[in-house]
Amino acid sequence: MVSWVTSAFVGFARACAVVIVVLSVPAVWAAAVALGIWWGAANPWSWVAPLVLVCGGTLALSRPVCRAVRFLVARWTATVVPAGYRQAEPVVRMSTGFWWNGFSYERTRRDALLDQRWRIRWNDPANWRDLRFTVLAPFTTGVVSAVPPAGVAAAVLGFSQPTPVARLIGVAGSLVAVASAPYAWRSVRPVAVRFLGPSRAMALADRVDELTAQRADTTVAQAAEIRRIERDLHDGAQARLVALGLSLATAEKLMATDPDQAKALMREARVGATASLTELRELVRGINPPVLNERGLVDAVRAFALDSPLEATVSAGPELRLDPPVESAVYFGIAELLTNAVKHAHADRARITLVRDESGLVVAVEDDGGGGAVERAGGGLAGLRRRLAVFDGTLEITSPAGGPTQVRMMVPCASL
């Protein structure tokens, strides 16, 4: 009984919230009709002001109403309905002095921003989708969500009258309000998903943009990695190998005239060869750790945790042998998080969990540091997000001030 009463009160409050948000636009329509009636039908221009009020009010309220509905759906049902609005490109000043906003050239930055805002506003399909939802929502979820408040209003009016019929109406209104309150507000979720979600064309366009950005990030990362390898080879192993060749050539010339000096040069060459081999192994280890290739992701993570100054524990489920690119991305992601925990959060302990379920590989990393981790453009966390995005992976960071920091990485099964 207590649970039912709580559910009824919560449902009634949510239904009222939905009604207030969704019926705000019909309230503007009603105000426009009242204005037209007040102005008088005999006036031939009495329809102008109501029409302007209806059109302007609907357009002005469409985006705030849809944002409020998305917020309520996400807050109550944990269902995220993506907005899908087009993002404005940076306004750039050209060498001619004009400003380019992605559509046209303008004389001032203010004019460029204003022109860009209006062009995006009118050309963005998401705005017309919001307008469609604003018009349809009052007749769908608005009507359903209005049942509990209407029942309460009927009950108040019925019990305020002494007649038996009025009291019967009051009892019926009370029953309707109590019975529908826990469920009436739930209609907002399917309506929002159906009419506020991006269309297939919009989803495909967003996916193309995302893949284009990922390809650019991957190209830049590969170029940077190639430059690093070339630099390491040029400054380290290559220089040692050149010196080794010179030593061997000198030893060959001295072999007949000064055997002892030739033997000394041979010993130096052997030491140089050993050092070159060590540098090459370190270089290869930076590209992909040998333990990752030989023993898999879990053992590689455990080996890294043992070498870490943190007191790290690793727990993993069975059968976690994945494709090499995915293992490499997850491994270096965990390494990045543990390094941040030591360097920035000053943590002492960390816990790493690797689980593979029906949705994909889920990796959770938690430390007891000071928290406050923020994802910055060009930073390590942003790079980690881009690395996972190549495999349609996601990164969730929870790091309140004072800690602890919890990071969750997920790579879908389709990528494994």
Side-chain angles (χ1 to χ4, degrees), residues 209-241:
D209 294 340
E210 181 182 354
L211 292 176
T212 302
Q214 292 176 7
R215 182 182 63 183
D217 292 337
T218 303
T219 303
V220 172
Q222 288 177 345
E225 187 67 13
I226 291 174
R227 288 194 299 269
R228 183 187 71 83
I229 295 172
E230 290 176 347
R231 184 174 62 253
D232 292 346
L233 287 174
H234 181 273
D235 297 340
Q238 178 178 327
R240 289 185 179 275
L241 290 175

Side-chain angles (χ1 to χ4, degrees), residues 222-350:
Q222 288 177 345
E225 187 67 13
I226 291 174
R227 288 194 299 269
R228 183 187 71 83
I229 295 172
E230 290 176 347
R231 184 174 62 253
D232 292 346
L233 287 174
H234 181 273
D235 297 340
Q238 178 178 327
R240 289 185 179 275
L241 290 175
V242 171
L244 177 62
L246 294 175
S247 298
L248 291 175
T250 304
E252 182 180 5
K253 294 179 180 180
L254 294 175
M255 188 63 69
T257 59
D258 192 351
D260 293 336
Q261 184 65 24
K263 290 180 180 178
L265 290 175
M266 295 290 287
R267 285 193 295 270
E268 292 180 2
R270 184 176 60 194
V271 173
T274 303
S276 299
L277 181 60
T278 301
E279 287 189 1
L280 288 174
R281 285 175 175 173
E282 291 296 329
L283 180 62
V284 173
R285 181 183 296 272
I287 298 174
N288 211 18
V291 66
L292 187 61
N293 295 328
E294 297 169 1
R295 304 180 61 181
L297 176 62
V298 176
D299 289 340
V301 172
R302 285 174 175 157
F304 186 87
L306 289 175
D307 295 336
S308 174
L310 293 174
E311 183 182 340
T313 59
V314 180
S315 58
E319 301 180 1
L320 276 179
R321 191 70 191 200
L322 312 173
D323 291 338
V326 179
E327 288 188 339
S328 178
V330 174
Y331 173 82
F332 284 109
I334 295 175
E336 173 76 20
L337 295 175
L338 292 182
T339 302
N340 289 346
V342 175
K343 184 178 180 181
H344 302 292
H346 307 292
D348 297 322
R349 290 182 297 275

